[in-house]
Amino acid sequence: MPAKRAQAVPQGLSLTGLQQNELLRALPQHELERLLPELELVALPTGKHLYDFGDKIEYSYFPTTAIVSLQYVNEDGITTEIAVVGREGVAGVTMYKGERASNTAVVQAAGYGYRMRTDTLRELFGEGGTLAHQLMRYTSCLFAQLAQNVVSSRHSSIEQKLCRWLLERLDRSPSSELKVTQELIANLLGVRRESITAAAGKLQADGLIQCRRGMVVVLDRAGLERCAGACYFAARGTLAQAATH
C-alpha cells in the first residue's frame, strides 16, 4: 500500500476478525495486513440500504455475519432480487471513478461486516496481486448467480424457487433458523404471497422446513437440495470453484 495511505490500525480490528469473510480469508497474510488500516467494522441492521440504484457508491462492504440482498426496482416500484451476498464476498465494488450503482443493496439478515472506501479498493485493485484476482473471481460468481436467477425465473416451479432461495440464505447463515417472512420472500422472488404460502406449506408437510411467525427453520437440507433443482447447484458450484483458486 502506498506510504501516503499508511495509518494506524483501527482499534478492535484483527486478522482473525477479517478472515470471517471468505474473500478476505483467501488473501495472503501480508496483503491482509496492508488492508487493516483501510477497513472499518460496522453493524449492518436488517433493512439498512447500503446504496440505492443510481447512487455514487461510497463504500464496499465485506459481510461476515450479515446477508445482503442485491435488488432491482422497476419504474412501478416492484422489487426483484437479482443476487445475494454474504460472508463469501463483497457488495459495492466499483471499477471506475464516478460509477453509479446499477442495483440497490439492502441488508436482509442483520449482522456485521467490514467496509472500505470504494476509491481505496479501486486503487488496491489497480495494484494487482491476490486481492485483484479474488475480486475478479467473485465478480464472475455474481454474474453466474445472476444468470442462474434469470434461468430459474423462467423454468423453475415456485417450490423450486423457494427451495433455492432458502438454501442461498442457509449457505450464508450461521444458523438453520432464518428470520424472514413469507411476504418478503414473495416480494423478492416476484411472485404472489399465496404461491409462497402454498409452497412453504408443502415443504413443511414433507418435513423439510418449519414455518413460524417471522421465521423459517430448515429441518432437512438434503431434502431442500433435492427439491431445488439444477440452478442452485450450478450457482453453488461456480462459487465453490472460485473459493478453491
Side-chain angles (χ1 to χ4, degrees), residues 71-93:
Q71 305 171 2
Y72 179 77
V73 183
N74 69 14
E75 295 178 353
D76 297 324
I78 298 175
T79 298
T80 302
E81 183 174 81
I82 57 175
V84 60
V85 180
R87 60 177 179 265
E88 81 290 347
V90 56
V93 176

Short mmCIF file of all heavy atoms in Angstrom, two decimals, residues 71-93:
data_model
loop_
_atom_site.label_atom_id
_atom_site.label_comp_id
_atom_site.label_asym_id
_atom_site.label_seq_id
_atom_site.Cartn_x
_atom_site.Cartn_y
_atom_site.Cartn_z
N GLN A 71 -30.88 -5.90 -5.25
CA GLN A 71 -32.23 -5.83 -5.80
C GLN A 71 -32.32 -4.84 -6.95
O GLN A 71 -31.57 -3.87 -7.03
CB GLN A 71 -33.21 -5.41 -4.70
CG GLN A 71 -33.17 -6.30 -3.48
CD GLN A 71 -33.98 -5.76 -2.31
OE1 GLN A 71 -34.63 -4.72 -2.42
NE2 GLN A 71 -33.95 -6.46 -1.19
N TYR A 72 -33.28 -5.12 -7.83
CA TYR A 72 -33.61 -4.19 -8.91
C TYR A 72 -35.04 -3.72 -8.69
O TYR A 72 -35.94 -4.53 -8.46
CB TYR A 72 -33.49 -4.86 -10.27
CG TYR A 72 -33.85 -3.92 -11.41
CD1 TYR A 72 -32.95 -2.94 -11.84
CD2 TYR A 72 -35.10 -3.98 -12.02
CE1 TYR A 72 -33.29 -2.07 -12.85
CE2 TYR A 72 -35.44 -3.11 -13.04
CZ TYR A 72 -34.53 -2.16 -13.45
OH TYR A 72 -34.85 -1.28 -14.46
N VAL A 73 -35.23 -2.41 -8.72
CA VAL A 73 -36.56 -1.83 -8.52
C VAL A 73 -36.98 -1.18 -9.84
O VAL A 73 -36.30 -0.28 -10.35
CB VAL A 73 -36.55 -0.78 -7.39
CG1 VAL A 73 -37.97 -0.25 -7.16
CG2 VAL A 73 -35.98 -1.37 -6.10
N ASN A 74 -38.11 -1.64 -10.40
CA ASN A 74 -38.53 -1.08 -11.68
C ASN A 74 -39.28 0.24 -11.50
O ASN A 74 -39.45 0.73 -10.37
CB ASN A 74 -39.36 -2.10 -12.48
CG ASN A 74 -40.72 -2.38 -11.85
OD1 ASN A 74 -41.19 -1.65 -10.97
ND2 ASN A 74 -41.39 -3.43 -12.32
N GLU A 75 -39.76 0.80 -12.60
CA GLU A 75 -40.40 2.11 -12.56
C GLU A 75 -41.70 2.10 -11.76
O GLU A 75 -42.14 3.15 -11.28
CB GLU A 75 -40.68 2.58 -13.99
CG GLU A 75 -39.41 2.85 -14.82
CD GLU A 75 -39.74 3.26 -16.23
OE1 GLU A 75 -40.93 3.22 -16.61
OE2 GLU A 75 -38.79 3.63 -16.95
N ASP A 76 -42.29 0.93 -11.61
CA ASP A 76 -43.53 0.82 -10.84
C ASP A 76 -43.27 0.56 -9.37
O ASP A 76 -44.22 0.37 -8.59
CB ASP A 76 -44.41 -0.31 -11.41
CG ASP A 76 -44.84 -0.02 -12.84
OD1 ASP A 76 -45.09 1.16 -13.15
OD2 ASP A 76 -44.91 -0.97 -13.63
N GLY A 77 -41.99 0.51 -8.98
CA GLY A 77 -41.65 0.29 -7.59
C GLY A 77 -41.63 -1.18 -7.19
O GLY A 77 -41.52 -1.49 -5.99
N ILE A 78 -41.74 -2.08 -8.16
CA ILE A 78 -41.72 -3.51 -7.87
C ILE A 78 -40.27 -3.98 -7.72
O ILE A 78 -39.43 -3.72 -8.58
CB ILE A 78 -42.42 -4.31 -8.98
CG1 ILE A 78 -43.89 -3.89 -9.07
CG2 ILE A 78 -42.30 -5.81 -8.72
CD1 ILE A 78 -44.63 -4.53 -10.22
N THR A 79 -39.99 -4.65 -6.61
CA THR A 79 -38.63 -5.09 -6.29
C THR A 79 -38.43 -6.55 -6.65
O THR A 79 -39.29 -7.39 -6.36
CB THR A 79 -38.35 -4.90 -4.78
OG1 THR A 79 -38.46 -3.51 -4.46
CG2 THR A 79 -36.95 -5.38 -4.43
N THR A 80 -37.29 -6.85 -7.27
CA THR A 80 -36.90 -8.23 -7.56
C THR A 80 -35.46 -8.43 -7.14
O THR A 80 -34.60 -7.60 -7.44
CB THR A 80 -37.03 -8.54 -9.07
OG1 THR A 80 -38.37 -8.30 -9.49
CG2 THR A 80 -36.66 -9.99 -9.35
N GLU A 81 -35.21 -9.50 -6.43
CA GLU A 81 -33.84 -9.81 -6.03
C GLU A 81 -33.07 -10.40 -7.21
O GLU A 81 -33.55 -11.31 -7.89
CB GLU A 81 -33.84 -10.80 -4.87
CG GLU A 81 -32.45 -11.11 -4.35
CD GLU A 81 -32.50 -11.98 -3.11
OE1 GLU A 81 -32.66 -13.22 -3.25
OE2 GLU A 81 -32.40 -11.44 -2.00
N ILE A 82 -31.86 -9.88 -7.44
CA ILE A 82 -31.05 -10.38 -8.56
C ILE A 82 -29.84 -11.19 -8.08
O ILE A 82 -29.28 -11.98 -8.84
CB ILE A 82 -30.58 -9.23 -9.47
CG1 ILE A 82 -29.78 -8.19 -8.68
CG2 ILE A 82 -31.78 -8.57 -10.15
CD1 ILE A 82 -29.19 -7.09 -9.55
N ALA A 83 -29.44 -11.00 -6.83
CA ALA A 83 -28.31 -11.76 -6.28
C ALA A 83 -28.28 -11.56 -4.77
O ALA A 83 -28.97 -10.69 -4.23
CB ALA A 83 -26.99 -11.32 -6.90
N VAL A 84 -27.48 -12.38 -4.10
CA VAL A 84 -27.33 -12.28 -2.65
C VAL A 84 -25.86 -12.38 -2.30
O VAL A 84 -25.11 -13.12 -2.94
CB VAL A 84 -28.16 -13.37 -1.93
CG1 VAL A 84 -27.72 -14.76 -2.34
CG2 VAL A 84 -28.11 -13.21 -0.43
N VAL A 85 -25.44 -11.60 -1.31
CA VAL A 85 -24.03 -11.55 -0.89
C VAL A 85 -23.95 -11.80 0.61
O VAL A 85 -24.69 -11.18 1.39
CB VAL A 85 -23.39 -10.18 -1.21
CG1 VAL A 85 -21.93 -10.16 -0.76
CG2 VAL A 85 -23.50 -9.86 -2.69
N GLY A 86 -23.07 -12.71 0.99
CA GLY A 86 -22.83 -12.98 2.40
C GLY A 86 -21.35 -13.00 2.69
O GLY A 86 -20.58 -12.26 2.06
N ARG A 87 -20.96 -13.86 3.60
CA ARG A 87 -19.56 -13.88 4.05
C ARG A 87 -18.60 -14.34 2.96
O ARG A 87 -17.39 -14.26 3.12
CB ARG A 87 -19.42 -14.78 5.27
CG ARG A 87 -19.83 -16.22 5.05
CD ARG A 87 -19.60 -17.06 6.31
NE ARG A 87 -20.01 -18.45 6.14
CZ ARG A 87 -21.18 -18.94 6.49
NH1 ARG A 87 -22.07 -18.13 7.04
NH2 ARG A 87 -21.48 -20.21 6.30
N GLU A 88 -19.13 -14.83 1.84
CA GLU A 88 -18.27 -15.30 0.77
C GLU A 88 -17.74 -14.18 -0.12
O GLU A 88 -16.84 -14.40 -0.94
CB GLU A 88 -19.02 -16.31 -0.12
CG GLU A 88 -19.94 -15.71 -1.17
CD GLU A 88 -21.19 -15.06 -0.60
OE1 GLU A 88 -21.50 -15.26 0.59
OE2 GLU A 88 -21.88 -14.34 -1.35
N GLY A 89 -18.30 -12.95 0.02
CA GLY A 89 -17.95 -11.95 -0.98
C GLY A 89 -17.96 -10.51 -0.53
O GLY A 89 -17.69 -10.18 0.62
N VAL A 90 -18.33 -9.65 -1.47
CA VAL A 90 -18.28 -8.20 -1.25
C VAL A 90 -19.41 -7.56 -2.05
O VAL A 90 -19.75 -8.01 -3.14
CB VAL A 90 -16.91 -7.63 -1.68
CG1 VAL A 90 -16.60 -7.95 -3.13
CG2 VAL A 90 -16.82 -6.13 -1.43
N ALA A 91 -19.98 -6.49 -1.50
CA ALA A 91 -21.02 -5.73 -2.18
C ALA A 91 -20.55 -4.29 -2.37
O ALA A 91 -19.98 -3.70 -1.46
CB ALA A 91 -22.31 -5.73 -1.36
N GLY A 92 -20.77 -3.74 -3.56
CA GLY A 92 -20.46 -2.35 -3.79
C GLY A 92 -19.09 -2.09 -4.38
O GLY A 92 -18.46 -1.07 -4.07
N VAL A 93 -18.62 -2.96 -5.26
CA VAL A 93 -17.33 -2.75 -5.91
C VAL A 93 -17.55 -1.87 -7.14
O VAL A 93 -18.46 -2.09 -7.93
CB VAL A 93 -16.69 -4.09 -6.33
CG1 VAL A 93 -15.41 -3.86 -7.11
CG2 VAL A 93 -16.44 -4.95 -5.11
#
